[in-house]
Amino acid sequence: MKKIHVSLTVNGDAVDYLCEPQETLLDALRDHLNLTGAKEGCGTGDCGACSVTVDGRLISSCLMLAAEAGGVAVETVEGMANGAELHPLQRHILDGAALQCGVCTPGILVAAKALLAQNPDPSETEIRYWLAGNLCRCTGYDKIIRAVQSAAAEMRGEA
Amino acid sequence: MRYHVANSLSEAVEMLAAEAGTAKVLAGGTDLLVQMKSGALVPDLLVDIKALEGMRDIVPEGGGYRIGAAVSGAQMGEHAGLRALWPGVVEAAGLIGSTQVQGRATIVGNLCNGSPAADSVPALIAAGAIARVVGPDGTREMRVADIPAGPGRTTLEKADIVDSVFLPARPARAGDAYLRFIPRTEMDIAVASAAVNLTLDAEGAVESALVVLGAVAPTAIMAYDAGTALVGSRLEPSALEQCAAACSAACNPIDDKRGTAAFRRQVVGVMAKRAARIAFERAGESL
Ligand SMILES: Cc1cc2nc3c(=O)[nH]c(=O)nc-3n(C[C@H](O)[C@H](O)[C@H](O)COP(=O)(O)OP(=O)(O)OC[C@H]3O[C@@H](n4cnc5c(N)ncnc54)[C@H](O)[C@@H]3O)c2cc1C
Ligand code: FES
Ligand code: FES
C-alpha cells in the first residue's frame, strides 16, 4: 500500500508524516509525531479524550483521517503551555485537583480553551453543554467545571 | 483502501462509478469512520469532497439559503441569517453529537447515512428542503423527503453525490422547530422526534402546517393528518390533541433498548405538540 505524504502545522510548527489511508489524525499525532497528549479513550467519537482543534475548530481526532490533514493547522494540548509556564486552564485544573487518572484531561483542556476563545465568560450551563462530549470517569465533573470557571475569570482579568 | 481528494465533482462521480468495490463519499466522517472501525464498512475507495469549491459555503439564494455539502453543524449554528430564517433546521443540526462532532458533521452526511433517527432529516423535510444531486447523467434536484429509503438505505445511486441542500424562502409569518426525546440531556440518539413548520395567516391562525416524525418508522415520515389538524387553529388544546393523536396513528415504531413501540407512539405526539408551540411563537404569535 502506497503511503500518503501529509504536510501541516502542529502547534505552530511545520511538520509532515507518511500515513496509511485508514490511519486517523490521532494515530498520526501519537505514532508519527510522538505527541501523546491526545488520548484514544474510545476511538468512536464518544469520549473527547482525543480532542484537538483543526483550523481553530474543535474536533475528535479519532474521527478524522490522517490523510485529510494536509495544509491544516492543528493545536494540541502540547501547545498550551508557554515553555515552563502553564496555561491558566492547566494551572486551575491542577490547583483545583480537577483530575485523577488524567486520561480525559488533555481533551478537556483543549476543549475548554476552544470554548473560552469564542466565549470568554460562559455560564455553568454553557460550559457543561460544551464539554458534554468530554467524558470523565473519575472526577464527577464538578471540579472540572469550577476550574474552567476560575481560569476564565483569571483570563478576563477578574481574579 | 484508497483515499482520494476530489479535484472536481465530475471526477468524483467518475471515480465512484468506476470503482468495482465499495466506494464512499467522505464528508465529516463521523458516521463513516465509526462504521469503518467497527468493521461494518470496509470501503475500497473514499472520495473526499470537502475541498471542492463552494462545498463549505452557506450562500443566499432566492430568499433562502444553499448549504454546501461540507458545511458543518457548528458552521450552521454560527450563521445568523440561517438561524433567523430556519431556526428549526439549525437546532436540529445542532443536536447532532458533541461540540467535537459538530465541528465535522454535515447535514448531507446525516441524510445520506440513512439513519431513521437522523436529527436534521425531519426538520429538512418539514422545511421543504431540496438536495442538488450530481450523478453520471448530470445534475438533478431531489426533495430531501424522497431520499431516505430505510435504515441505512437511500434512493441515491452509487455514484450520486449531493453537492448542496437548498432551504427555500419563507413567508414573514412562519416558524419551524425540532424536538427529540432522549433519556439524557446531551449526546444520545433520538427515541422519537418531531419537526413542525408553520405559516400563519394575517389574523395569526395557522394557514399551513407540516409535521415530520423521526425515529418512529424505518424513515422519517410526514404525518399529513397531524399538520391538517393544526390548520385554521391558534393551537388551542383540542387542535394540539388531534395533532398528537394523528402523530401516534401515523407512526410505525419498533421496540428496542431505547424505548418500547408504545412509548415511542405516545411520546412522538408530545414532541409534536411542543414543537408546534415553539414554531407558533417563532412565527410571531404568543400562546
Ligand atoms: C459521538 C457521536 C454522536 C452522534 N450523535 C448524533 C445525533 O445525536 N444525532 C444524529 O442524527 N447523528 C448523530 N451522530 C451521527 C453522525 O454524526 C451524523 O449522522 C452526521 O451528520 C454525519 O455527517 P458526516 O458529514 O460526518 O458524514 P460522513 O460520515 O462523512 O458520511 C455519512 C454517509 O453519508 C455519505 N455521504 C456524505 N456526504 C455525501 C454527499 N455529499 N453525497 C453523497 N453521500 C454522502 C457517506 O458516504 C456516508 O455513507 C453521532 C455520531 C457520533 C460519532
Ligand atoms: S478517542 Fe476520540 S472521542 Fe474518544
Ligand atoms: S480524571 Fe480520569 S477520566 Fe477524567
Side-chain angles (χ1 to χ4, degrees):
Chain A
M1 180 65 63
K2 192 167 155 287
K3 292 207 176 190
I4 302 166
H5 180 234
V6 178
S7 304
L8 67 162
T9 70
V10 177
N11 301 324
D13 298 332
V15 295
D16 62 346
Y17 52 73
L18 286 172
C19 67
E20 304 281 350
Q22 71 282 358
E23 279 182 297
T24 63
L25 176 60
L26 178 62
D27 297 331
L29 290 170
R30 293 180 59 86
D31 302 341
H32 301 318
L33 300 174
N34 295 321
L35 293 170
T36 55
K39 305 279 184 271
E40 181 158 43
C42 66
T44 51
D46 295 288
C47 77
C50 65
S51 297
V52 301
T53 60
V54 170
D55 293 335
R57 186 72 78 188
L58 184 67
I59 67 147
S60 287
S61 60
C62 72
L63 290 189
M64 175 169 167
L65 294 175
E68 291 182 76
V72 305
V74 176
E75 297 281 336
T76 72
V77 73
E78 285 88 349
M80 275 182 79
N82 182 8
E85 189 192 331
L86 294 181
H87 187 281
L89 280 162
Q90 293 174 308
R91 204 156 18 75
H92 284 270
I93 290 260
L94 272 178
D95 292 349
L99 79 168
Q100 290 175 31
C101 79
V103 169
C104 68
T105 314
I108 299 224
L109 285 166
V110 171
K113 187 182 170 204
L115 169 63
L116 299 185
Q118 66 163 53
N119 182 358
D121 192 7
S123 66
E124 174 172 345
T125 303
E126 285 170 333
I127 298 172
R128 287 188 185 270
Y129 270 100
W130 183 273
L131 295 179
N134 289 89
L135 303 188
C136 177
R137 295 292 284 164
C138 305
T139 64
Y141 301 103
D142 269 358
K143 289 182 172 179
I144 295 172
I145 307 300
R146 310 254 173 280
V148 174
Q149 287 173 317
S150 53
E154 179 185 321
M155 289 165 70
R156 291 193 306 271
E158 290 169 16
Chain B
M1 181 185 91
R2 286 168 298 132
Y3 167 80
H4 180 75
V5 179
N7 295 300
S8 70
L9 262 178
S10 52
E11 179 211 51
V13 169
E14 275 168 34
M15 286 190 76
L16 293 171
E19 174 59 50
T22 304
K24 288 280 175 185
V25 175
L26 176 65
T30 60
D31 279 317
L32 271 186
L33 264 71
V34 175
Q35 290 160 10
M36 283 161 56
K37 288 182 186 204
S38 74
L41 175 71
V42 186
D44 299 287
L45 172 68
L46 289 185
V47 179
D48 188 344
I49 55 158
K50 292 191 290 295
L52 293 176
E53 173 134 15
M55 282 291 172
R56 292 182 187 271
D57 298 338
I58 301 173
V59 183
E61 181 180 314
Y65 285 103
R66 182 168 294 282
I67 301 169
V71 169
S72 67
Q75 221 185 318
M76 289 176 67
E78 287 161 11
H79 195 286
L82 187 61
R83 274 202 322 264
L85 196 66
W86 290 104
V89 173
V90 175
E91 78 192 340
L95 286 172
I96 298 171
S98 58
T99 318
Q100 287 84 343
V101 170
Q102 282 286 303
R104 298 268 294 168
T106 66
I107 53 172
V108 173
N110 199 221
L111 170 67
C112 295
N113 185 57
S115 165
D119 280 305
S120 70
V121 174
L124 288 170
I125 295 174
I130 307 286
R132 190 162 71 195
V133 183
V134 182
D137 301 325
T139 302
R140 63 191 194 277
E141 310 275 325
M142 280 177 83
R143 298 188 320 152
V144 165
D146 294 333
I147 292 180
R153 291 186 299 115
T154 69
T155 56
L156 298 174
E157 301 290 337
K158 175 179 179 186
D160 282 342
I161 300 176
V162 176
D163 104 325
S164 56
V165 167
F166 176 66
L167 288 169
R170 68 192 314 177
R173 310 199 76 193
D176 69 326
Y178 174 78
L179 284 178
R180 67 176 182 181
F181 177 85
I182 56 173
R184 42 208 298 248
T185 48
E186 253 288 272
M187 294 286 285
D188 210 340
I189 307 292
V191 176
S193 71
V196 176
N197 180 21
L198 301 177
T199 59
L200 310 184
D201 65 20
E203 276 73 54
V206 175
E207 191 168 65
S208 69
L210 292 177
V211 179
V212 182
L213 312 178
V216 290
T219 65
I221 50 166
M222 180 82 83
Y224 290 99
D225 294 346
T228 309
L230 301 176
V231 172
S233 80
R234 285 181 173 73
L235 303 196
E236 294 84 357
S238 60
L240 286 173
E241 284 318 316
Q242 258 186 46
C243 169
C247 290
S248 303
C251 69
N252 176 23
I254 55 166
D255 278 314
D256 70 4
K257 63 181 177 188
R258 296 180 190 283
T260 62
F263 177 74
R264 286 189 155 99
R265 194 172 284 120
Q266 186 189 345
V267 88
V268 75
V270 178
M271 294 295 110
K273 284 195 288 189
R274 292 182 188 169
R277 286 201 193 98
I278 298 168
F280 192 68
E281 290 185 333
R282 285 178 179 164
E285 285 297 315
S286 51
L287 280 161

